[in-house]
């Protein structure tokens, strides 16, 4: 089953990260741009602000967000699998999660003008 990755293509940092993953993967992921994407909101059952706030992944019918979503993506990419294992360790995951939340919030503030854009 293909893992769905929901990301903000309008965010230059998010786009760069996902473009990198696209180059090094084959068919493991379905990368879905959330920018003005009603279907993404329906698929995730999240509102526009919640989608914009973090990266999200649907794997085996379950929605994951934030740092956990990154771990799922990394676990499926051979060169990043070790990062997935290291960052899954409880103490390291806590620090990773907190750092991710700070960075994601800053990116959310930078891109929140998208919330007022019409579809």
């Amino acid at each position: 089953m293909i893992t769905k990755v929901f990301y903000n293509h309008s965010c230059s940092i998010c786009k760069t990260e996902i473009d990198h993953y696209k180059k090094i993967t084959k068919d493991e992921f379905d990368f879905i741009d959330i920018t003005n994407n009603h279907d993404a909101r329906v698929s995730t059952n999240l509102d526009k602000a919640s989608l914009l706030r973090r990266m999200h992944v649907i794997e085996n019918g379950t929605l994951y967000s934030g740092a956990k979503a990154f771990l799922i993506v990394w676990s499926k990419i051979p060169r990043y699998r070790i990062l997935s294992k290291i960052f899954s360790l409880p103490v390291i995951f806590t620090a990773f999660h907190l750092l991710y939340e700070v960075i994601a919030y800053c990116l959310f503030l930078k891109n929140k003008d998208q919330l007022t854009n019409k579809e």
Side-chain angles (χ1 to χ4, degrees):
M1 181 173 259
I2 294 177
T3 300
K4 293 183 179 186
V5 179
F6 298 85
Y7 74 102
N8 183 0
H9 189 80
S10 298
C11 166
S12 61
I13 293 171
C14 306
K15 178 186 177 314
T16 300
E17 177 103 13
I18 296 300
D19 285 349
H20 170 69
Y21 296 151
K22 286 178 180 178
K23 287 179 186 174
I24 63 172
T25 61
K26 293 182 183 171
D27 298 323
E28 297 89 349
F29 303 104
D30 180 11
F31 294 103
I32 302 164
D33 177 15
I34 60 138
T35 308
N36 296 322
N37 186 338
H38 177 74
D39 292 338
R41 292 196 301 278
V42 171
S43 295
T44 61
N45 199 30
L46 295 172
D47 61 39
K48 198 171 184 177
S50 296
L51 267 177
L52 188 64
R53 177 68 178 81
R54 293 175 186 84
M55 183 174 80
H56 305 277
V57 167
I58 294 179
E59 180 168 73
N60 298 323
T62 302
L63 178 69
Y64 300 93
S65 300
K68 180 63 178 165
F70 264 96
L71 293 180
I72 291 168
V73 170
W74 291 344
S75 73
K76 296 183 171 296
I77 302 172
R79 69 172 76 167
Y80 290 112
R81 200 163 287 137
I82 188 70
L83 285 179
S84 173
K85 290 178 181 181
I86 293 168
F87 282 76
S88 293
L89 297 171
V91 172
I92 295 173
F93 180 78
T94 300
F96 174 50
H97 170 75
L98 292 172
L99 180 61
Y100 175 88
E101 288 299 318
V102 169
I103 292 169
Y105 186 69
C106 292
L107 291 174
F108 172 76
L109 292 177
K110 178 181 176 253
N111 294 292
K112 71 179 181 176
D113 62 318
Q114 291 179 33
L115 296 175
T116 58
N117 293 345
K118 302 275 184 195
E119 289 190 336

